[in-house]
Amino acid sequence: MSTPWQTRRASRQPFAARAAAPREPVDPARIGRRVVRRRAKGMDAAAVVRALEDARFDARQDSRHEDLADDERGRAELAEWERIDQLLVAAAPGTVYDPDTDDVVQAELAAEAAAAADREAAVREAQRIAARADELQALRELHALERTEPRDGDEAVRDEMTRRAGGYVQADVDAWLARALAAHRGHYRDPAAREAAADLLPPPVLAHAALLTELVRLVPGVDMDQLAFAARLATTEPEAAGDLAALLARARSGAS
């Protein structure tokens, strides 16, 4: 027959020791705090003191067992009983504990809700990026990518397509983005999007776009196919391509 202490101790053993590995990581400390709050709800100061003494006894017993010496949940439970004890000591006589009016609990719940919302948003964004990558891949296969208007977020889609290719740069996708950036097509019509691109696109793409911008200004109406060398130069020597674009820009400004 097990004693109450043995029952409580067994309930705090690592989950992996009692069942198969969970599908998602768990936070033992958070679980411990929630258990304490459920037990403490409606308790007055005297009842919390008794529960705190039980928790301290458990902690002393656990310290004698190597497998429980580093019990994160047990430490969290003890700390939470101590916090609630101090909370009621400072409260008016006769106050009972209510997690719904506990500022610490409410702040944690708000933070957890915000984190959950962020995770959901990240999942939705990942799904959007994957769907757009599928769309652009289909357009590539139809040889229609160059006629496609880029959208907000396509920089991340470009990274996803590179990842899918095992890290190999997709030259046609990079050229498409560089040409769109140089021509202010799609979402690059917005100056803010062009400014943001400096942090979202790699140097070769930015150098290609800058060089195209100056070459088109130098030779108005030039066929883009005649400027294919700009992509090769930007890919192999992005710094040199950027320097050339800057030189052409200075020459143009000096001539005007």
Side-chain angles (χ1 to χ4, degrees):
M1 182 174 178
S2 61
T3 66
W5 166 73
Q6 288 172 327
T7 301
R8 288 195 298 269
R9 184 166 66 91
S11 71
R12 293 210 310 269
Q13 285 181 336
F15 184 74
R18 296 183 282 115
R23 293 181 181 178
E24 295 182 1
V26 296
D27 183 346
R30 184 175 64 178
I31 292 172
R33 289 190 295 271
R34 287 181 172 177
V35 167
V36 169
R37 290 162 187 171
R38 284 197 298 270
R39 287 185 57 199
K41 186 172 183 177
M43 285 184 175
D44 60 13
V48 168
V49 167
R50 290 192 295 270
L52 175 56
E53 288 305 313
D54 286 343
R56 286 171 173 164
F57 176 79
D58 287 349
R60 288 193 296 271
Q61 295 299 322
D62 289 351
S63 67
R64 302 174 183 176
H65 298 266
E66 185 176 351
D67 60 328
L68 293 175
D70 192 28
D71 179 12
E72 185 179 353
R73 175 174 163 179
R75 291 196 304 272
E77 288 186 11
L78 176 57
E80 188 66 359
W81 280 119
E82 290 173 340
R83 187 187 70 82
I84 293 173
D85 175 60
Q86 291 301 311
L87 190 65
L88 292 182
V89 165
T95 300
V96 297
Y97 178 70
D98 183 358
D100 293 339
T101 60
D102 185 335
D103 291 342
V104 170
V105 173
Q106 296 309 307
E108 284 185 11
L109 291 175
E112 289 171 7
D118 288 344
R119 288 192 298 271
E120 290 177 6
V123 168
R124 289 194 298 272
E125 177 63 6
Q127 292 171 339
R128 184 198 67 78
I129 289 172
R132 177 64 168 166
D134 291 340
E135 178 185 352
L136 293 184
Q137 180 59 38
L139 290 168
R140 292 171 80 184
E141 294 170 0
L142 294 171
H143 305 289
L145 180 62
E146 191 58 42
R147 298 191 299 276
T148 303
E149 293 279 287
R151 302 176 189 166
D152 183 34
D154 276 351
E155 297 86 1
V157 176
R158 178 253 177 209
D159 294 341
E160 170 63 12
M161 297 179 78
T162 302
R163 185 195 66 78
R164 291 182 181 185
Y168 290 100
V169 171
Q170 306 298 286
D172 58 337
V173 175
D174 279 6
W176 167 63
L177 285 171
R179 290 181 177 186
L181 181 57
H184 300 180
R185 288 172 44 212
H187 72 296
Y188 292 131
R189 293 188 185 93
D190 183 356
R194 297 197 296 275
E195 184 177 350
D199 295 321
L200 299 173
L201 293 172
V205 178
L206 297 173
H208 184 189
L211 189 52
L212 284 178
T213 297
E214 295 307 321
L215 290 172
V216 168
R217 286 170 175 168
L218 184 64
V219 187
V222 64
D223 188 336
M224 278 291 178
D225 290 339
Q226 294 178 290
L227 301 180
F229 67 89
R232 294 194 296 272
L233 178 59
T235 300
T236 57
E237 294 289 345
E239 188 174 349
D243 289 345
L244 177 57
L247 179 64
L248 292 173
R250 286 199 300 273
R252 176 170 51 80
S253 3
S256 58

